Amino acid sequence: MVKLGTSVENTWCLGCGNFGILNAFKKAIVELEEKGISQKNILIASGIGCSAKIFDYLNLSGIYSLHGRDLATIEGIQFVNPNLKTITFSGDGNAMGEGLTHLLFAAKRNADVTIIMHNNGVYALTTGQYTPITERGWKGPSTPKGSVEGPFNAISLVLEAGATFVARSYTAKIQHLTDMIVQAIEHKGFSFLEVLQPCVSYNNTYKLYNDIVEELDDILKSIEEAKLYAKNKHKLFIGIFYRTEKPTFCELLYGDHNPVEKRQYRDERINKIKKILNIE
Amino acid sequence: MSLIKGGHNFSVVSTSTRWISSHYMKADLIVNLDKRSYDNHIDHLSEGGVMVYNSDIKGDMDGIGISLTSEAKKYPNPNLMLGVGAIAILGATIGVNKTELNALIKNEYSKGVKENISYANIIYDIVYPIIGGKFQLEGGSKKRPNILGNQAIALGAIAGGLDCYYAYPMTPATSILHYLAAIADDFGLAVIHPENEIAVINMAIGSTFTGARTMVGSSGGGFALMAEGISLGGIIESPVLIILSMRPGPATGVPTYTEQGDLNFALNAGHGEFLRIVASPGTIEEAFFLTAQMLDLVWKFQTPGILLTEKHLSESSMTVDINLNDTIWAEPLLHKDGEYKRYFDTEDGISPLLFPPAKEILKWNSYEHDEFGFTTEDPRWIKRMHDKRNKKFKSLENYLMKKKTVNIFGDKGPIIITYGSTVMSVLEALKYGNIEARVVQPIFLSPLPIWVLEKYKDQEVIVIEQSAIGQFANLLKENTNIQLKKVIKQYNGRPFDPIKLSKKIKDAV
Ligand SMILES: Cc1ncc(C[n+]2csc(CCOP(=O)(O)OP(=O)(O)O)c2C)c(N)n1
Ligand code: SF4
Ligand SMILES: [Mg+2]
């Protein structure tokens, strides 16, 4: 096994929830390796944000993409080589603001990718503006009087769109988080993992979360129940909200074909084109 | 026009046993199905030409009236049959026999073959005694395929190694998507229509990471949405090929007509400084080979490339002579052994590639980065990586200097410089007007082959293009010492008509 860390200087604020995600992810990769998923088959992407910096701190291959476009990028990797295990790290602004269309469509088509959404409730890297899932009234630099928009509920939205694995975890519960990451990556189909991630500089939610986070005993029974639990304001449930088995986008599009591994070479193509054009 | 079944729709066909490169609006035979078509096209009838009209339609019309509608009414879907009637009329006048006509209908129509054949034969029998064989065509010496420009682009890409195509429908590029989707399984391709053009370009870049030869296609509006992705392709050095088929803009513009108004945009698409390879095919044959060559170039130089074309080429069909053995197969430079650095700073700026799954770490990074692909803000790395990428400008020029980058037609007479599908109009105008001239067509627009164009330094030339502000003429002015004597422009959405263009050329020389 190759070491999972890199020598890049870590610039997250001391106490940032992102450290929990980094540590849990490394542990998850080790667990997956033990289960036979080789590190070289694991590909990562990230958007742009504090969350996305994890790309530089992980010694894994992939693409450090644009703000909001990482999901499209990782889908592009997966669609032409469905054997690869593909994960992207997105901030809540990244995934649900700039990148919302890609999120809903990736869920809709059951793309076999995992998105880990670092939910810190702010655009942290751009200094603390409200995000699409921040509660109404957030006083940030772009909404000094308090945001007048109400929030999306991430879990309920992706469930509606068709996600086949939907879970939530918390950065202060490393073992739980590790387990959720492993299961999200193992799941065949679109996995959405929302991670409650306190931002000590702009939205320090440790105390609140420690008070109201509660582990689900079991996977919930239906999408309706899952949505109900996801929207509960008094308790923040963590665990798997919903899981189902459905054919993935690639399976439906081309069965077990792999466009990269089974590409046709020149002569075969030329002969077929000759037939199409009816020429010698 | 953006029409499905309503409004006025028409097709123009020109044919000859010599190579012709443009349609003519002056027609020997016009078949119209309604009064509006008659009024719109009566002026296009050539001297000695024949107008065939639908005698079941009321109105003051001259020519040969055929009861197209009343004959069609004997079948279940009369309105859908009129077009077959037009084909029967055309067949009868150019000397297609009934067996050939029936075979053609069987080939082209998936539904109602029996009814269509029966109807076509009835119309054929009415028309034949009046104008049968009036414009009898000789058969050519060789059977050649007749293909659409977009089909040439699609097949050229496949011949060059295409594995994956992403697109969101937008005229006039849509038929590339349709055609590739229809044949995807035969060639093992991934052909995907995602949520929007932003997804298109970002997915495509993701796919190139795996080694998949990947192409996308759109027109101006969709291409504009891709701009940030093209810039990403520049810094992460993604070999992504973009087909930009131009229609008149700005914005929605005129979707189903032609223009060359996006040249500057293509040359400058995406923020930041990086190499964009831009080339434009002059003919449908060239579109086939150039698409494969562009696929190879983006992979060799690991930067976005744009095949710039127009509605006129994309959606015109033409008889072509293609020797498939001449196509280029896209091959990147691959890493062999030793330590792997994604952005290894080589002499020519090209870093060898590796694809997943690999034991080496492959990091493509949208932030400025060091050789391993880790983010950096170090001033030395910022400069060095700009320099590394920008070495590719020179490397590409050196590479292209050994290749054909400019087509030159003719060796005497005044010089005409033009590009893209306007080349076809110009060549035909010269033939029609019996004008002796040299036509110079840069195939590459970025880099502009100055090393070839230098030959025309200080000479007076005529520039012909389909842009209102003369973008191509300005490109030449900025980059060469060529003297522009006259710029012939057309920007009414229509391609040049060879007859009118030949007059303009004569006036200019
Ligand atoms: C197209 C584009 N728009 C805006 C930005 C600026 N930007 C960088 S990060 C960011 C917000 C990040 O918020 P989030 O995704 O929640 O990540 P966090 O920093 O909170 O982890 C923005 C708006 C950008 N990089 N690209
Ligand atoms: S600003 Fe917030 S999210 Fe960003 S590193 Fe600091 S604590 Fe973490
Ligand atoms: Mg955030």
Side-chain angles (χ1 to χ4, degrees):
Chain A
M1 210 190 80
V2 199
K3 81 174 173 48
L4 275 167
T6 67
S7 52
V8 176
E9 182 197 3
N10 192 310
T11 55
W12 284 325
C13 310
L14 211 64
C16 171
N18 281 320
F19 286 103
I21 299 179
L22 177 62
N23 292 335
F25 191 78
K26 285 183 184 167
K27 287 175 69 160
I29 296 301
V30 174
E31 255 184 58
L32 288 165
E33 183 111 43
E34 283 160 7
K35 292 182 170 196
I37 298 177
S38 155
Q39 265 180 48
K40 59 180 193 202
N41 282 310
I42 293 180
L43 274 292
I44 58 169
S46 70
I48 299 294
C50 288
S51 41
K53 291 182 178 179
I54 198 168
F55 183 89
D56 277 330
Y57 309 148
L58 283 168
N59 202 32
L60 291 168
S61 295
I63 303 185
Y64 206 148
S65 174
L66 295 166
H67 183 57
R69 311 302 167 199
D70 48 299
L71 199 42
T73 311
I74 202 81
E75 284 180 282
I77 294 178
Q78 219 278 331
F79 291 166
V80 287
N81 191 344
N83 292 344
L84 301 171
K85 288 279 175 200
T86 45
I87 303 113
T88 189
F89 300 92
S90 279
D92 52 332
N94 185 91
M96 306 209 56
E98 197 83 281
L100 182 63
T101 328
H102 308 308
L103 178 64
L104 297 181
F105 275 81
K108 171 179 181 277
R109 60 171 74 96
N110 198 27
D112 189 11
V113 301
T114 295
I115 174 169
I116 297 179
M117 189 181 82
H118 304 218
N119 178 6
N120 56 8
V122 281
Y123 286 91
L125 192 63
T126 49
T127 68
Q129 301 86 351
Y130 80 114
T131 78
I133 54 177
T134 310
E135 290 298 328
R136 194 189 302 273
W138 175 260
K139 287 193 177 160
S142 64
T143 54
K145 293 190 284 182
S147 71
V148 294
E149 290 177 35
F152 283 135
N153 181 279
I155 288 181
S156 125
L157 212 53
V158 296
L159 276 170
E160 203 58 58
T164 50
F165 178 98
V166 179
R168 190 193 271 153
S169 190
Y170 175 31
T171 57
K173 300 210 173 228
I174 294 291
Q175 201 40 56
H176 185 268
L177 180 54
T178 306
D179 186 41
M180 289 298 113
I181 294 172
V182 168
Q183 296 202 48
I185 295 175
E186 279 185 314
H187 174 74
K188 182 173 73 70
F190 185 70
S191 307
F192 178 80
L193 175 59
E194 174 185 356
V195 184
L196 303 172
Q197 177 243 312
C199 163
V200 292
S201 298
Y202 298 108
N203 191 16
N204 193 342
T205 44
Y206 277 118
K207 194 178 162 333
L208 175 74
Y209 289 168
N210 288 340
D211 289 346
I212 66 167
V213 162
E214 190 171 310
E215 281 185 43
L216 289 169
D217 298 330
D218 231 329
I219 303 184
L220 299 168
K221 306 228 165 28
S222 65
I223 292 186
E224 280 61 43
E225 198 183 13
K227 286 205 267 191
L228 219 62
Y229 274 71
K231 287 180 180 166
N232 192 316
K233 293 243 159 88
H234 309 290
K235 290 229 171 305
L236 267 176
F237 290 102
I238 60 171
I240 300 175
F241 282 66
Y242 186 71
R243 179 162 64 194
T244 185
E245 280 278 321
K246 281 200 181 136
T248 65
F249 177 75
C250 287
E251 285 172 347
L252 290 172
L253 191 63
Y254 31 65
D256 61 359
H257 178 59
N258 184 314
V260 168
E261 289 182 357
K262 296 185 191 159
R263 72 191 302 247
Q264 290 175 14
Y265 281 88
R266 187 167 187 264
D267 292 349
E268 189 177 354
R269 291 168 183 241
I270 298 280
N271 285 333
K272 287 181 181 170
I273 296 173
K274 280 182 181 163
K275 282 213 187 84
I276 291 176
L277 295 180
N278 208 355
I279 53 177
E280 278 320 298
Chain B
M1 218 190 280
S2 296
L3 303 172
I4 305 299
K5 284 179 184 154
H8 171 65
N9 239 330
F10 63 97
S11 306
V12 182
V13 182
S14 300
T15 177
S16 165
T17 45
R18 72 159 168 89
W19 189 73
I20 50 169
S21 57
S22 169
H23 66 288
Y24 284 78
M25 282 313 286
K26 277 278 177 244
D28 292 325
L29 171 71
I30 297 179
V31 182
N32 60 71
L33 307 175
D34 59 11
K35 177 76 167 70
R36 178 166 168 197
S37 311
Y38 179 92
D39 294 340
N40 275 347
H41 297 289
I42 184 73
D43 288 343
H44 294 140
L45 202 59
S46 67
E47 228 167 279
V50 177
M51 174 66 95
V52 179
Y53 65 92
N54 184 353
S55 57
D56 294 311
I57 305 286
K58 285 202 184 56
D60 189 16
M61 293 184 278
D62 248 353
I64 298 166
I66 306 285
S67 48
L68 285 166
T69 304
S70 34
E71 289 300 333
K73 281 199 173 136
K74 297 171 184 162
Y75 301 91
N77 292 307
N79 285 337
L80 296 182
M81 304 198 75
L82 300 180
V84 180
I87 288 165
I89 297 168
L90 178 66
T93 45
I94 64 172
V96 171
N97 67 38
K98 275 203 212 165
T99 321
E100 290 163 335
L101 177 69
N102 296 348
L104 187 143
I105 292 173
K106 219 165 139 184
N107 251 331
E108 294 296 319
Y109 292 82
S110 53
K111 278 186 237 151
V113 172
K114 222 178 82 207
E115 291 78 9
N116 278 324
I117 287 182
S118 154
Y119 174 66
N121 281 278
I122 287 167
I123 301 295
Y124 190 97
D125 288 340
I126 301 174
V127 171
Y128 199 83
I130 318 170
I131 43 168
K134 182 164 169 61
F135 304 111
Q136 180 81 28
L137 294 179
E138 291 164 46
S141 53
K142 185 178 162 192
K143 247 186 126 171
R144 296 180 180 85
N146 184 290
I147 58 173
L148 271 181
N150 277 349
Q151 201 179 348
I153 290 169
L155 289 173
I158 294 176
L162 186 80
D163 299 309
C164 179
Y165 184 73
Y166 294 97
Y168 188 85
M170 186 165 192
T171 308
T174 311
S175 50
I176 304 174
L177 172 65
H178 293 177
Y179 187 65
L180 284 173
I183 58 176
D185 287 351
D186 297 343
F187 290 95
L189 312 179
V191 178
I192 296 173
H193 160 187
E195 55 270 29
N196 54 34
E197 289 86 350
I198 302 177
V200 163
I201 189 73
N202 286 287
M203 285 178 179
I205 286 172
S207 296
T208 62
F209 179 86
T210 68
R213 314 297 192 263
T214 306
M215 186 166 92
V216 305
S218 192
S219 192
F223 182 77
L225 290 178
M226 295 186 200
E228 194 194 11
I230 295 173
S231 175
L232 174 67
I235 195 165
I236 70 173
E237 306 193 41
S238 164
V240 62
L241 179 59
I242 302 139
I243 310 297
L244 168 54
S245 184
M246 296 179 277
R247 65 195 217 187
T252 311
V254 197
T256 58
Y257 284 87
T258 202
E259 197 172 278
Q260 293 180 304
D262 297 336
L263 171 62
N264 286 341
F265 188 37
L267 293 173
N268 297 293
H271 56 291
E273 298 171 315
F274 61 96
L275 171 65
R276 303 141 176 100
I277 311 174
V278 183
S280 184
T283 62
I284 288 178
E285 271 160 26
E286 191 163 68
F288 180 92
F289 295 109
L290 189 58
T291 309
Q293 187 186 9
M294 281 294 281
L295 204 55
D296 182 49
L297 287 175
V298 296
W299 278 91
K300 284 211 160 49
F301 291 87
Q302 297 181 42
T303 200
I306 298 159
L307 186 91
L308 184 67
T309 185
E310 311 83 6
K311 138 80 189 170
H312 181 47
L313 186 142
S314 275
E315 295 202 320
S316 295
S317 63
M318 206 165 150
T319 308
V320 292
D321 220 343
I322 286 177
N323 182 354
L324 292 173
N325 299 326
D326 295 342
T327 42
I328 293 174
W329 180 250
E331 294 274 23
L333 177 70
L334 296 176
H335 173 75
K336 292 209 182 63
D337 42 40
E339 187 185 30
Y340 184 70
K341 293 178 179 172
R342 162 63 184 110
Y343 298 111
F344 185 48
D345 186 8
T346 58
E347 219 162 285
D348 55 9
I350 299 160
S351 318
L353 284 169
L354 264 183
F355 306 120
K359 63 178 194 318
E360 293 82 357
I361 299 299
L362 327 171
K363 279 191 181 284
W364 291 22
N365 195 339
S366 142
Y367 275 106
E368 193 54 275
H369 40 256
D370 62 15
E371 283 182 303
F372 292 102
F374 289 117
T375 305
T376 184
E377 293 181 345
D378 181 327
R380 287 163 301 181
W381 275 119
I382 298 172
K383 176 175 186 303
R384 184 155 169 205
M385 278 295 147
H386 272 79
D387 290 341
K388 175 221 176 273
R389 287 190 294 273
N390 292 344
K391 282 185 215 168
K392 294 194 283 187
F393 281 95
K394 195 76 215 146
S395 315
L396 176 61
E397 268 189 33
N398 290 341
Y399 181 85
L400 286 177
M401 275 179 194
K402 295 181 219 109
K403 310 270 169 199
K404 185 163 156 203
T405 50
V406 179
N407 284 324
I408 298 167
F409 306 88
D411 47 21
K412 279 198 282 296
I415 301 161
I416 296 172
I417 308 192
T418 182
Y419 81 102
S421 63
T422 307
V423 174
M424 293 192 280
S425 314
V426 172
L427 293 178
E428 194 59 32
L430 296 179
K431 270 192 211 125
Y432 178 84
N434 241 326
I435 306 166
E436 191 160 67
R438 283 169 285 173
V439 177
V440 178
Q441 174 216 345
I443 305 164
F444 284 84
L445 301 160
S446 167
L448 191 68
I450 312 281
W451 57 94
V452 182
L453 298 177
E454 219 156 46
K455 249 197 346 221
Y456 307 100
K457 198 164 75 177
D458 302 325
Q459 302 202 36
E460 284 198 332
V461 308
I462 299 163
V463 173
I464 306 180
E465 63 175 309
Q466 296 215 253
S467 145
I469 59 173
Q471 295 182 28
F472 180 60
N474 289 338
L475 182 73
L476 294 172
K477 249 193 268 175
E478 277 166 31
N479 294 284
T480 70
N481 287 320
I482 297 170
Q483 304 303 312
L484 309 187
K485 185 173 165 200
K486 165 112 189 134
V487 184
I488 300 175
K489 300 181 272 195
Q490 177 160 302
Y491 46 90
N492 58 359
R494 273 64 179 170
F496 284 107
D497 176 64
I499 300 177
K500 289 185 189 154
L501 182 57
S502 74
K503 268 202 209 86
K504 286 190 184 155
I505 296 173
K506 275 184 182 157
D507 290 347
V509 299

